[in-house]
Amino acid sequence: MSASQTSDVPTLLVKIFGKDRPGITAGLFDTLAAYSVDVVDIEQVVTRGRIVLCALVTKPTAGTEGELRATVHSWAESLKLQAEILSGTGDNRPRGSGRSHVTVLGHPLTAESTAAIAAKITATGGNIDRIFRLAKYPVTAVEFAVSGCETEPLRTALALAAAHIGVDVAVVSAGLHRRAQRLVVMDVDSTLIQDEVIELFAAHAGCEAEVAEVTERAMRGELDFEQSLHARVALLAGLDASVVDKVRAEVQLTPGARTLIRTLKRLGYQVGVVSGGFTQVTDDLRERLGLDFASANTLEIVDGKLTGRVTGEIVDRAGKARLLRRFAAEAEVPLSQTVAIGDGANDLDMLNAAGLGVAFNAKPVVREAAHTAVNVPFLDAVLYLLGITREEIEAADLA
């Protein structure tokens, strides 16, 4: 029976709630089957061992509704469940135009922050159609299915609310394309890894403080990246090439990085990195983590020594966006179905070019410009923004 056919048909909403156990759903519909009703809608939720099962069905033939009600109540009581049956007409009211998924990450997620997000959705003209939990660790992640308002104004309103109450909120338009995002490209320094690679090299050259100061100014967007890159690399001149292996050993992955990449790969995504750092490190990461793409600057080495120069095409702010497009073309993935993750000003072009740009523990200018921000210290939290649940992550690990 189509939605149009049920719009004015008498229906019954049968609600069952109580302690969950195997067989409740089958038992309810076995009971209803004796009255030849049609199923219009079903919704079931289990929370901390308590079930709420709702079945919207057509009314039975004349004269048998009372018997159906009595039979359902009797069956429920036999299982120490409660039953409620409401008469009405038709199905749920049609959802409003403009549909979005709103993912909220909290560490922890408080009742106060949840209330604030829900109120802001309502104030923007949206209606919350459904809520479910994506994950309970390492962060609490819940998703709201929202209709009635367009994605962009909802995203703007919730971004302001999220910054004020201290939670992370991502808003993406609903549709099949959400699960079709098949390429994820991320920055390396302070995103995939906890370090700034050039600072690791600088520590071996005894110029860590000087390099760190220039790096920070570049990441804030105060200096031209290419000029700052050449200035910092020049300080490394004369270092023995053996330092490359030492730096590789010192690199620390961001918590959740392995889980993020492993899960994406097992779910069929392609994954790449672009870096203003150096191929001497990104090539190693590509091999260790099974990445599909990797591109970075290359430190020039002559006669076993770093010359203080880089070779080849410079990977700067514009270069990262260019590489995202190149990787997408090679992966045969539309740019609209890509995800970019970064933390610094030189990631902005890439974040804006991607279908979904995620600012990860980013500088304020980046958080404000990106589609969404993640401020918890776990990189795998990005999976929840893609609608991937913790159960799917664990299932992928067992595959």
Side-chain angles (χ1 to χ4, degrees):
M1 188 177 293
S2 70
S4 60
Q5 291 174 311
T6 61
S7 61
D8 57 359
V9 171
T11 52
L12 295 177
L13 175 61
V14 182
K15 179 180 177 183
I16 304 296
F17 48 100
K19 185 177 180 180
D20 189 30
R21 70 194 72 186
I24 291 176
T25 305
L28 173 62
F29 286 98
D30 277 342
T31 303
L32 294 171
Y35 298 91
S36 301
V37 297
D38 295 332
V39 177
V40 178
D41 196 4
I42 308 172
E43 192 82 30
Q44 178 174 308
V45 177
V46 177
T47 305
R48 210 181 67 180
R50 309 292 291 184
I51 186 172
V52 178
L53 170 60
C54 294
L56 187 65
V57 299
T58 55
K59 277 194 175 184
T61 55
T64 61
E65 181 181 337
E67 182 183 341
L68 179 150
R69 287 173 176 270
T71 303
V72 169
H73 280 287
S74 177
W75 166 80
E77 288 173 6
S78 72
L79 295 177
K80 298 182 178 179
L81 299 168
Q82 293 179 274
E84 182 180 15
I85 304 176
L86 302 174
S87 297
T89 302
D91 197 350
N92 302 312
R93 63 183 177 84
R95 296 175 64 190
S97 61
R99 300 181 184 180
S100 305
H101 295 286
V102 177
T103 305
V104 183
L105 309 181
H107 189 56
L109 181 62
T110 66
E112 181 181 12
S113 59
T114 305
I117 293 299
K120 183 60 69 173
I121 290 172
T122 301
T124 312
N127 183 71
I128 300 171
D129 300 313
R130 183 173 299 173
I131 306 172
F132 63 95
R133 186 177 69 184
L134 294 168
K136 60 182 178 181
Y137 70 91
V139 298
T140 301
V142 296
E143 183 171 287
F144 296 74
V146 176
S147 62
C149 60
E150 296 303 321
T151 298
E152 286 303 324
L154 181 62
R155 177 184 289 152
T156 300
L158 290 181
L160 295 172
H164 178 69
I165 62 181
V167 296
D168 296 333
V169 177
V171 182
V172 297
S173 59
L176 293 176
H177 66 277
R178 187 186 187 208
R179 282 301 188 98
Q181 290 168 325
R182 292 297 180 185
L183 174 65
V184 176
V185 176
M186 67 191 86
D187 175 44
V188 175
D189 293 10
S190 299
T191 300
L192 177 62
I193 66 174
Q194 300 178 57
D195 317 278
E196 291 287 334
V197 168
I198 196 165
E199 292 179 11
L200 296 179
F201 278 100
H204 291 279
C207 58
E208 187 175 16
E210 296 95 317
V211 165
E213 192 275 333
V214 177
T215 299
E216 183 62 26
R217 291 181 64 194
M219 295 301 284
R220 290 197 303 263
E222 298 173 3
L223 293 176
D224 174 79
F225 177 83
E226 184 171 350
Q227 291 177 335
S228 67
L229 174 68
H230 290 305
R232 289 174 291 175
V233 171
L235 296 169
L236 307 181
L239 271 179
D240 192 274
S242 62
V243 76
V244 170
D245 289 332
K246 295 176 183 178
V247 167
R248 286 175 174 174
E250 292 166 354
V251 165
Q252 301 178 79
L253 293 173
T254 298
R258 287 187 183 276
T259 300
L260 171 68
I261 294 169
R262 182 174 64 243
T263 302
L264 290 172
K265 296 291 291 179
R266 289 176 177 173
L267 293 177
Y269 285 67
Q270 296 187 61
V271 184
V273 294
V274 290
S275 177
F278 310 110
T279 57
Q280 282 82 357
V281 170
T282 58
D283 287 350
D284 180 62
L285 290 170
R286 178 175 184 169
E287 183 176 348
R288 285 166 51 195
L289 300 174
L291 301 173
D292 300 285
F293 305 98
S295 189
N297 301 299
T298 299
L299 291 169
E300 184 181 62
I301 298 175
V302 176
D303 297 329
K305 302 285 185 182
L306 273 64
T307 66
R309 297 186 295 270
V310 292
T311 62
E313 182 182 9
I314 297 296
V315 179
D316 55 8
R317 175 170 169 167
K320 288 186 173 184
R322 185 169 58 250
L323 287 163
L324 170 70
R325 294 186 176 91
R326 183 187 304 171
F327 293 167
E330 292 178 14
E332 298 182 342
V333 171
L335 201 60
S336 61
Q337 294 174 197
T338 62
V339 180
I341 311 168
D343 74 298
N346 63 330
D347 297 314
L348 278 173
D349 288 3
M350 175 178 73
L351 297 181
N352 289 329
L356 177 64
V358 181
F360 180 73
N361 292 312
K363 310 298 183 290
V365 66
V366 183
R367 289 200 304 269
E368 293 168 6
H371 297 130
T372 188
V374 171
N375 294 301
V376 295
F378 312 107
L379 192 57
D380 55 338
V382 173
L383 293 168
Y384 309 136
L385 307 184
L386 307 180
I388 299 169
T389 67
R390 192 75 212 179
E391 288 78 9
E392 289 174 311
I393 295 170
E394 293 170 352
D397 283 342
L398 295 175

